Amino acid sequence: MDDALSAEAEMVHARPGRLREFWFYFRENRGAVIGLVIFVIFAILAVFGPWIAPHSATQQYRADTLVPPFWLEGGSYKYILGTDPLGRDMLSRLIVGARFSFFVGIVVVTVAASGGILIGLIAGFAPRWLDAIIMRIMDIILAFPSLLLALVLVAILGPSLVNAMIAIAIVLQPHYVRLTRASVLSERQKDYVTSARVAGAGLMRLMFVTVLPNCLAPIIVQAALSFSTAILDAAALGFLGMGAQPPTPEWGTMLAEAREFILRAWWVVTFPGLAILVTVLAINLMGDGLRDALDPKLKRS
Amino acid sequence: MLKYTLSRLLTFIPTFIGVTLISFSFIRALPGDPIVVMAGERGLSDERYAELATQYGFDQPIYMQFWDYLTGVLQGDLGTSFVTKRPVWDEFFTLFPATLELSICAMIFAIALGLPAGIIAAVNRGKFLDRALMSTALVGYSMPIFWWALLLIIVFSGNLGWTPVSGRIDLLYYFPNATGFMLIDSVASGQSGAFTSAVRHLLLPTIVLGTIPLAVIARQTRSAMLEVLGEDYIRTARAKGMSPGRINGVHALRNAMIPVITVIGLSVGTLLAGAILTETIFSWPGIGKWMVDSIFRRDYPVVQGGLLLIAVMVMIVNLTVDMLYGVINPKIRKR
């Protein structure tokens, strides 16, 4: 009995864990929670897509081309969102297509963020001349409009989804470098870093253990935002014929294939774009929530 | 201020050389021999190949090629297009007014709607109007604009038949482009209906290209306004009994404009990236479509020169924004 009481008392007094505190603030933002729910659905579709989809994504039902969605005349429950010009089920292609966008987001953010954080840390700790060189190189990359640079990079590497991801990662990377460097520079002057250095921490320890964890908040927000940018850019490249190639059911590529049918069959154009919009919107909602929850200035005390 | 200007100008030079180097080396990295591509399907003899290689300087060592290119660029020589055989420089400036006209209209559209939306949202913070405006802005911000363009075409060109699908003006009208700006030229031509036609062609591309800047400006204006409205001097103004219109319109807005101007300046890069998609969809004869076509046609000198010119343009705009920033906000200069 006593034990139970004291345990309870301890629970009340203990400072909530970081994750818990984060969730407390995140949950306040209704939009962010909706975004999270949609994102989880999106992730589930990305992983289990082919098992959830009612039809195969590439199976062509030649007898049923351009069947409208079920609520229109001529539509049927067999193809809930209709079929495309080759008789493939729209809904199945959209569901299976989720994994390409998800994959693009994960890979691009991982590559761009890890590269950018590393270079940003180096720039922040390096002597001034090296810092200047690194930042000039980033300025050069940022001088090109991102989509144009990605387009030319893909033209060099050859059009495919993997090359599109590499190109987008290269284009997004300077943002992480700038962000990391800026927070490193402001953190480096603080007393706790000096005391760690006096205590004999090596450069590596200072960089990765002492300073980096305190720079992560803005980087996490940036990661959420570039997840959606990556999806948009990959879809744009697919739309221009420089991303995933047909018959891959990538959403941007599907739009490109459907373009000539826009005035005859609105559904082949509408649904892939809607899928992109909803996904990107959900991630941006989450990003806003993350920013509010992680930025101490905005927290209500 | 002079010192600030000079130091900003100095960083421009290495960036410019770097941008030239990148656009130069990209083309060398593209698969395929440019001379073979230029010859097309006819093919060419070994002597002719050697002759062309000398003519274009491909027989020189790579650093000499770069030096020739860099000195050429500084003298305004960006090479000639493989396809049209016209100087890249001329092509660029023939097409540029079309992109500029579209971008200016898109920016006016974005500012004209974005600023008031942001101000209204900030003044009504937390109320229904604020939520509705900001949700709309977030949707606009997340919009895949190539899809947005197709949707607008379905509704306004397909179902309603209000707007044309492509081009800058109906083929019915023909007049010299004196300025390159269709809106001005069509009025100058004096042909009845030409101006209306130009406006109708411009409408959808403007909306498509302006959507993301509009959302960004609205969001930025709102947060800048909210920050300023929390300042002490605003409370003082309120305590003095100043009218809310004057407080919001004069005291707050002027200071809130600083971050907003930065965002508007930084949107130029976004605008050019958006122009690539918008111009491709609406067959708008501008720089974006020209670049995409050239990439597909493997017209190397054009891709190389276009990349460089676009990057330099973005750099100049960013530099100007930095300068303006220094003028508006004295704190920045002193650093």
Side-chain angles (χ1 to χ4, degrees):
Chain A
M1 180 75 181
D2 267 2
D3 280 355
L5 263 181
S6 64
E8 198 174 315
E10 208 163 278
M11 262 169 65
V12 171
H13 284 291
R15 189 173 175 274
R18 265 189 141 171
L19 209 63
R20 206 154 182 207
E21 189 191 339
F22 164 76
W23 178 242
F24 177 81
Y25 287 107
F26 188 82
R27 171 180 84 170
E28 298 264 285
N29 188 333
R30 212 188 319 151
V33 177
I34 297 173
L36 182 68
V37 170
I38 298 176
F39 185 75
V40 169
I41 297 172
F42 168 60
I44 291 172
L45 289 182
V47 177
F48 301 106
W51 293 279
I52 296 174
H55 300 271
S56 150
T58 46
Q59 170 77 45
Q60 301 179 359
Y61 299 95
R62 286 299 172 85
D64 304 321
T65 54
L66 289 178
V67 174
F70 74 90
W71 63 87
L72 290 180
E73 201 175 321
S76 74
Y77 284 102
K78 192 179 171 202
Y79 312 108
I80 294 174
L81 294 182
T83 59
D84 73 357
L86 293 175
R88 294 171 294 195
D89 180 44
M90 286 297 291
L91 181 65
S92 310
R93 284 177 72 71
L94 290 176
I95 291 175
V96 176
R99 60 174 46 189
F100 297 99
S101 291
F102 191 73
F103 188 53
V104 165
I106 298 273
V107 172
V108 167
V109 169
T110 314
V111 172
S114 49
I117 291 172
L118 192 65
I119 299 174
L121 270 176
I122 293 172
F125 276 93
R128 282 191 82 160
W129 61 270
L130 184 59
D131 177 33
I133 292 178
I134 292 176
M135 292 325 284
R136 279 299 84 70
I137 294 175
M138 296 305 135
D139 281 354
I140 292 167
I141 300 179
L142 285 173
F144 297 98
S146 58
L147 187 64
L148 181 62
L149 192 59
L151 212 82
V152 176
L153 281 172
V154 173
I156 294 172
L157 300 168
S160 76
L161 192 61
V162 174
N163 290 342
M165 289 192 295
I166 296 173
I168 297 167
I170 292 176
V171 173
L172 287 181
Q173 199 245 125
H175 297 284
Y176 289 95
V177 176
R178 284 191 157 183
L179 210 57
T180 313
R181 173 176 171 271
S183 8
V184 167
L185 287 184
S186 74
E187 289 295 321
R188 239 181 72 173
Q189 298 166 355
K190 293 190 178 160
D191 289 342
Y192 75 94
V193 181
T194 316
S195 75
R197 185 175 289 144
V198 170
L203 186 61
M204 283 294 153
R205 191 179 166 82
L206 274 182
M207 276 164 74
F208 290 99
V209 182
T210 315
V211 171
L212 182 60
N214 294 299
C215 301
L216 278 180
I219 295 172
I220 292 172
V221 176
Q222 177 68 30
L225 293 179
S226 51
F227 201 105
S228 60
T229 315
I231 290 178
L232 273 182
D233 280 358
L237 286 176
F239 182 73
L240 290 171
M242 286 292 200
Q245 297 298 308
T248 314
E250 198 269 331
W251 295 336
T253 312
M254 283 172 73
L255 267 178
E257 282 181 85
R259 250 185 89 176
E260 51 186 302
F261 297 94
I262 55 172
L263 296 180
R264 274 173 51 202
W266 57 267
W267 58 93
V268 285
V269 177
T270 310
F271 294 129
L274 200 61
I276 301 173
L277 175 63
V278 169
T279 312
V280 171
L281 187 61
I283 296 168
N284 284 341
L285 276 171
M286 257 170 55
D288 278 4
L290 275 176
R291 192 191 52 215
D292 294 353
L294 290 173
D295 188 342
K297 267 191 286 184
L298 294 169
K299 276 183 196 167
R300 267 168 279 155
S301 48
Chain B
M1 185 65 201
L2 187 69
K3 203 175 158 197
Y4 173 74
T5 313
L6 276 180
S7 72
R8 287 295 294 126
L9 278 178
L10 272 180
T11 62
F12 191 83
I13 297 167
T15 319
F16 174 74
I17 295 177
V19 164
T20 317
L21 185 62
I22 287 205
S23 59
F24 170 84
S25 49
F26 267 174
I27 305 313
R28 301 301 181 282
L30 275 169
D33 186 328
I35 294 178
V36 175
V37 171
M38 190 168 41
E41 288 173 6
R42 281 171 300 151
L44 73 184
S45 64
D46 285 352
E47 297 91 72
R48 182 81 185 117
Y49 182 91
E51 198 181 308
L52 281 173
T54 322
Q55 188 190 331
Y56 286 97
F58 287 129
D59 54 346
Q60 306 260 342
I62 196 90
Y63 56 89
M64 279 306 292
Q65 288 186 34
F66 178 62
W67 178 250
D68 285 347
Y69 181 63
L70 189 63
T71 48
V73 165
L74 291 175
Q75 294 163 23
D77 174 19
L78 289 165
T80 45
S81 158
F82 285 167
V83 177
T84 61
K85 311 287 181 207
R86 288 181 59 207
V88 172
W89 187 267
D90 291 358
E91 289 224 313
F92 185 88
F93 284 101
T94 320
L95 297 172
F96 184 60
T99 303
L100 191 61
E101 183 176 45
L102 177 57
S103 308
I104 291 176
C105 290
M107 217 55 209
I108 293 175
F109 167 76
I111 295 172
L113 292 181
L115 266 186
I119 296 170
I120 293 171
V123 173
N124 295 295
R125 179 183 192 174
K127 293 187 189 147
F128 172 76
L129 202 56
D130 177 25
R131 289 212 196 117
L133 282 172
M134 283 306 114
S135 314
T136 318
L138 194 66
V139 173
Y141 180 69
S142 314
M143 188 64 82
I145 61 167
F146 43 96
W147 176 66
W148 181 223
L150 296 178
L151 274 194
L152 290 176
I153 289 177
I154 290 180
V155 174
F156 291 105
S157 307
N159 291 353
L160 298 170
W162 289 354
T163 52
V165 180
S166 67
R168 291 180 77 188
I169 196 152
D170 286 335
L171 291 172
L172 225 65
Y173 305 101
Y174 182 79
F175 42 81
N177 9 337
T179 58
F181 293 97
M182 205 49 94
L183 291 178
I184 300 174
D185 287 346
S186 61
V187 172
S189 76
Q191 297 175 29
S192 64
F195 181 72
T196 330
S197 170
V199 169
R200 292 195 339 166
H201 278 82
L202 198 53
L203 221 53
L204 290 192
T206 298
I207 296 175
V208 169
L209 189 54
T211 298
I212 290 182
L214 163 62
V216 174
I217 291 173
R219 278 161 64 97
Q220 188 64 41
T221 309
R222 176 180 179 271
S223 69
M225 276 295 275
L226 283 182
E227 193 154 306
V228 174
L229 285 175
E231 298 279 346
D232 285 345
Y233 65 83
I234 296 291
R235 198 182 316 148
T236 312
R238 222 171 257 151
K240 285 198 299 187
M242 221 170 252
S243 73
R246 196 170 159 76
I247 293 172
N248 292 328
V250 181
H251 285 66
L253 187 59
R254 190 180 288 173
N255 286 298
M257 282 319 287
I258 295 172
V260 175
I261 288 176
T262 319
V263 166
I264 292 174
L266 293 179
S267 304
V268 173
T270 325
L271 221 51
L272 282 169
I276 293 171
L277 292 165
T278 313
E279 290 180 2
T280 310
I281 293 169
F282 291 100
S283 305
W284 188 265
I287 301 299
K289 184 171 186 302
W290 178 61
M291 285 301 287
V292 172
D293 290 347
S294 304
I295 289 171
F296 278 109
R297 286 197 296 234
R298 305 223 167 271
D299 195 344
Y300 302 129
V302 171
V303 178
Q304 174 172 285
L307 260 182
L308 178 64
L309 285 172
I310 291 174
V312 168
M313 217 149 52
V314 173
M315 281 162 58
I316 292 175
V317 172
N318 287 350
L319 192 67
T320 319
V321 173
D322 275 7
M323 296 291 169
L324 271 182
Y325 211 41
V327 174
I328 302 171
N329 189 355
K331 274 188 230 158
I332 309 256
R333 271 179 259 160
K334 298 246 171 66
R335 267 202 314 217

